[in-house]
Amino acid sequence: MRKLNIAIIGLGNIGSYLFKYLNDNKKILTEKNNCLPIIKYVGVKNLKKKRNIKINKSQLLKNYLDATKKKDVDLIIELIGGAEGAAKKLVFNALKNKKHVVTANKALIAKYGDQLAKIAEKNKVNLEFEASVCGGVPIIRSLKESLIANKISRIYGILNGTSNYILSTMDKQNNSFKEVLLNAKKLGYAESNPSADLDGDDVSSKLKILSSLCFNSFLNNNIYVEGIKDIDKLDIDNANKLGYKIKLLGFAEHFKNKIYQRVHPTLIKKDSYVASIDGVLNAVIVDGKPVGQSIIQGEGAGPAATTSALVSDISSILRGNIKFPFSLSNKERKKLNFENIDDRSFSAYLRFEVLDKPGVLSNITNIFSKNKVSIKRLIQDPDKNRKSSSIIIITHNSKNKFLKKILNEVSKKNYLKKKPKLIRIDNI
Ligand SMILES: NC(=O)c1ccc[n+]([C@@H]2O[C@H](COP(=O)([O-])OP(=O)(O)OC[C@H]3O[C@@H](n4cnc5c(N)ncnc54)[C@H](OP(=O)(O)O)[C@@H]3O)[C@@H](O)[C@H]2O)c1
């Protein structure tokens, strides 16, 4: 029987669940892959920490980096996290020393994936990262294998469970962003520092990885990123009245012969498929030829779903397939030009909280016409007590740079009471 010696480095939320899973499911994994997985070593930061898993003394490495030098290690599973520091050192050294690597680390792959893939290819070892994008949603293996026949024109979806939980809970309950975020932390759906989730950075890392796989390109940092921090309950209620839901979406797309990557809150029709994805769920939609549209939905995070993805990668290595990390050789990957979204056109929702006084509305509509943005719908909602008015404008398709110009111009007016809002609309 063939054997594969494994070192798991990082035994936190994910690593400890995987450790237990591999021990409990050794027999079935061996039968399915015709190879026996053996956890030879584990590595952590704090050697004295009490853990809820049973580790043999001989398994525990004094220094996690020793795993990269040991002759009796074939595969290193990196579950430390972060683009720099210990995780970076471990993965670079592992690949240089001809060890296969499985990682769940989207930050590391989004930043150093190209360099790492080059070393893996040169040394003929695997670098697998299914768990780095949307936990249990098997999108990476689908792109690399099941959808290999396709020319992909667009990939998009809900790639962050925390922000989807916040937006869908604000929609269902009469609670503010702050209240819902606090509850999300209590329920374990948001980290104590949730900024990467709320700023869109988490989606950005995942989208960069997906778009390079879809378009056979190197990773590209030209990506527009906007998170959900500025969305308030009033925007969600307004969206509902207008027949929309607000979702944080990531898009990588070919549009009129140009390629764009963008992450931002988006108004989408209430009856669209994506609008029905609530809570911490993720959903990824791929448009390709000849397949048409393909959708994968599931748990985007958490130890159980992430372990499902990790075991898929481990199994691929157990079966002995050496593959290019990004589906094709570095020599064949392209340096594509990803465009800035300034010249991309969107229909948009704009909201202005203004003093309720004569001339304000006409001043705003003049700014729109000066920037050649035509108005599809305008709703004015005055609040006599507060002497203020909420002006909501839905535009026809207009270039992003003109929409931004309008925001900047109105922002300078002294009749404005709050920072104005711009949420793009997508007809998905
Ligand atoms: N949590 C999720 O739902 C989820 C989902 C998908 C992907 N991921 C990814 O999975 C990875 C692990 O996440 P996690 O939630 O399991 O993190 P975690 O609970 O913080 O665990 C991190 C582990 O890394 C170890 N570690 C930290 N610094 C180290 C160092 N300098 N040397 C050696 N070991 C070190 C820690 O050791 P000690 O135990 O001694 O402190 C701990 O065991 C991250 O890349 C994350 O982005 C997580």
Side-chain angles (χ1 to χ4, degrees):
M1 172 63 68
R2 288 187 308 124
K3 290 176 188 157
L4 188 88
N5 288 328
I6 299 173
I8 303 179
I9 310 299
L11 290 176
N13 279 319
I14 307 297
S16 55
Y17 193 101
L18 175 74
F19 179 91
K20 196 165 179 312
Y21 178 94
L22 286 178
N23 279 327
D24 294 349
N25 294 278
K26 202 184 270 180
K27 187 167 176 287
I28 185 76
L29 284 175
T30 306
E31 285 164 3
K32 285 192 173 176
N33 297 305
N34 198 23
C35 183
L36 173 69
I38 300 167
I39 305 177
K40 201 84 188 172
Y41 301 106
V42 294
V44 289
K45 187 174 187 180
N46 182 352
L47 296 171
K48 291 192 179 135
K49 197 192 264 183
K50 275 214 160 175
R51 305 191 186 262
N52 59 0
I53 46 175
K54 206 171 164 288
I55 303 164
N56 293 330
K57 263 196 174 160
S58 61
Q59 283 178 306
L60 190 59
L61 292 169
K62 285 208 177 79
N63 180 342
Y64 74 102
L65 278 175
D66 288 347
T68 65
K69 296 177 208 141
K70 294 225 175 246
K71 286 221 163 63
D72 54 354
V73 170
D74 304 304
L75 162 64
I76 292 178
I77 305 177
E78 182 275 308
L79 296 169
I80 298 171
E84 307 292 342
K88 179 184 170 193
K89 228 186 237 173
L90 177 71
V91 175
F92 270 96
N93 279 332
L95 294 172
K96 280 179 189 160
N97 290 339
K98 302 191 177 176
K99 311 291 183 196
H100 300 296
V101 169
V102 167
T103 177
N105 191 336
K106 68 207 140 230
L108 179 78
I109 296 297
K111 189 157 184 195
Y112 296 110
D114 291 340
Q115 291 176 46
L116 293 169
K118 214 170 170 182
I119 305 170
E121 183 175 340
K122 182 171 156 251
N123 287 342
K124 295 191 174 57
V125 287
N126 286 83
L127 166 65
E128 302 282 347
F129 42 87
E130 179 69 70
S132 68
V133 177
C134 298
V137 176
I139 184 61
I140 293 188
R141 185 137 292 110
S142 298
L143 291 172
K144 291 207 283 196
E145 296 185 12
S146 314
L147 294 170
I148 195 167
N150 292 278
K151 187 168 169 48
I152 290 163
S153 53
R154 177 168 72 161
I155 188 161
Y156 67 97
I158 296 175
L159 309 179
N160 181 274
T162 307
S163 45
N164 199 46
Y165 172 82
I166 290 172
L167 292 175
S168 55
T169 308
M170 280 167 78
D171 184 40
K172 290 199 169 80
Q173 299 170 0
N174 200 20
N175 289 333
S176 69
F177 184 95
K178 255 190 181 166
E179 289 163 332
V180 177
L181 175 59
L182 203 69
N183 209 30
K185 283 186 186 173
K186 277 187 202 150
L187 291 167
Y189 295 155
E191 292 176 22
S192 52
N193 177 3
S195 55
D197 291 322
L198 305 184
D199 292 346
D201 292 344
D202 173 84
V203 180
S204 162
S205 297
K206 292 169 180 170
L207 193 71
K208 281 184 210 167
I209 297 170
L210 291 180
S211 64
S212 73
L213 285 162
C214 287
F215 305 132
N216 302 322
S217 73
F218 289 107
L219 294 155
N220 194 294
N221 286 324
N222 197 356
I223 181 165
Y224 177 79
V225 183
E226 187 186 312
I228 62 164
K229 271 187 189 153
D230 288 336
I231 304 290
D232 63 30
K233 179 71 181 147
L234 191 55
D235 295 314
I236 293 198
D237 292 343
N238 288 339
N240 265 311
K241 283 181 204 151
L242 293 161
Y244 296 107
K245 294 277 176 212
I246 303 177
K247 295 285 184 191
L248 179 66
L249 299 181
F251 294 83
E253 59 194 347
H254 262 288
F255 187 79
K256 296 190 178 168
N257 293 325
K258 290 184 173 164
I259 317 176
Y260 299 90
Q261 300 181 108
R262 56 191 171 99
V263 177
H264 52 75
T266 314
L267 286 175
I268 52 172
K269 292 237 171 72
K270 252 183 195 177
D271 58 3
S272 63
Y273 160 72
V274 180
S276 69
I277 310 296
D278 283 339
V280 288
L281 285 178
N282 285 193
V284 186
I285 298 102
V286 180
D287 290 332
K289 239 183 182 170
V291 74
Q293 191 165 77
S294 204
I295 298 174
I296 318 181
Q297 175 189 328
E299 299 280 337
T306 306
T307 291
S308 165
L310 289 167
V311 172
S312 164
D313 283 348
I314 295 165
S315 293
S316 168
I317 295 169
L318 285 170
R319 278 180 238 129
N321 295 328
I322 305 285
K323 287 187 242 97
F324 300 121
F326 285 89
S327 194
L328 73 176
S329 164
N330 270 292
K331 290 169 207 125
E332 306 301 329
R333 291 172 76 201
K334 295 178 236 162
K335 264 201 185 114
L336 293 179
N337 226 358
F338 285 67
E339 302 287 330
N340 184 296
I341 67 166
D342 273 355
D343 283 321
R344 172 91 160 78
S345 292
F346 302 97
S347 166
Y349 156 106
L350 291 103
R351 185 182 126 209
F352 305 101
E353 296 297 322
V354 296
L355 289 174
D356 191 17
K357 59 178 195 182
V360 170
L361 183 60
S362 68
N363 185 272
I364 289 178
T365 53
N366 277 340
I367 294 173
F368 273 70
S369 66
K370 204 176 83 190
N371 284 291
K372 298 190 181 61
V373 172
S374 66
I375 293 173
K376 190 172 173 184
R377 208 166 158 188
L378 188 150
I379 303 161
Q380 189 175 20
D381 191 6
D383 181 339
K384 288 271 178 280
N385 294 333
R386 292 171 55 213
K387 294 191 177 132
S388 67
S389 186
S390 187
I391 296 172
I392 296 141
I393 293 176
I394 303 290
T395 72
H396 283 290
N397 250 356
S398 315
K399 283 197 174 169
N400 192 69
K401 62 182 170 196
F402 297 130
L403 293 167
K404 284 273 185 191
K405 255 176 115 181
I406 292 173
L407 270 200
N408 286 340
E409 254 179 78
V410 179
S411 294
K412 289 177 199 143
K413 302 289 178 190
N414 53 16
Y415 55 69
L416 198 74
K417 295 189 78 176
K418 262 187 187 172
K419 195 174 151 194
K421 299 283 179 74
L422 160 65
I423 309 177
R424 294 165 192 82
I425 300 175
D426 224 290
N427 200 11
I428 49 174

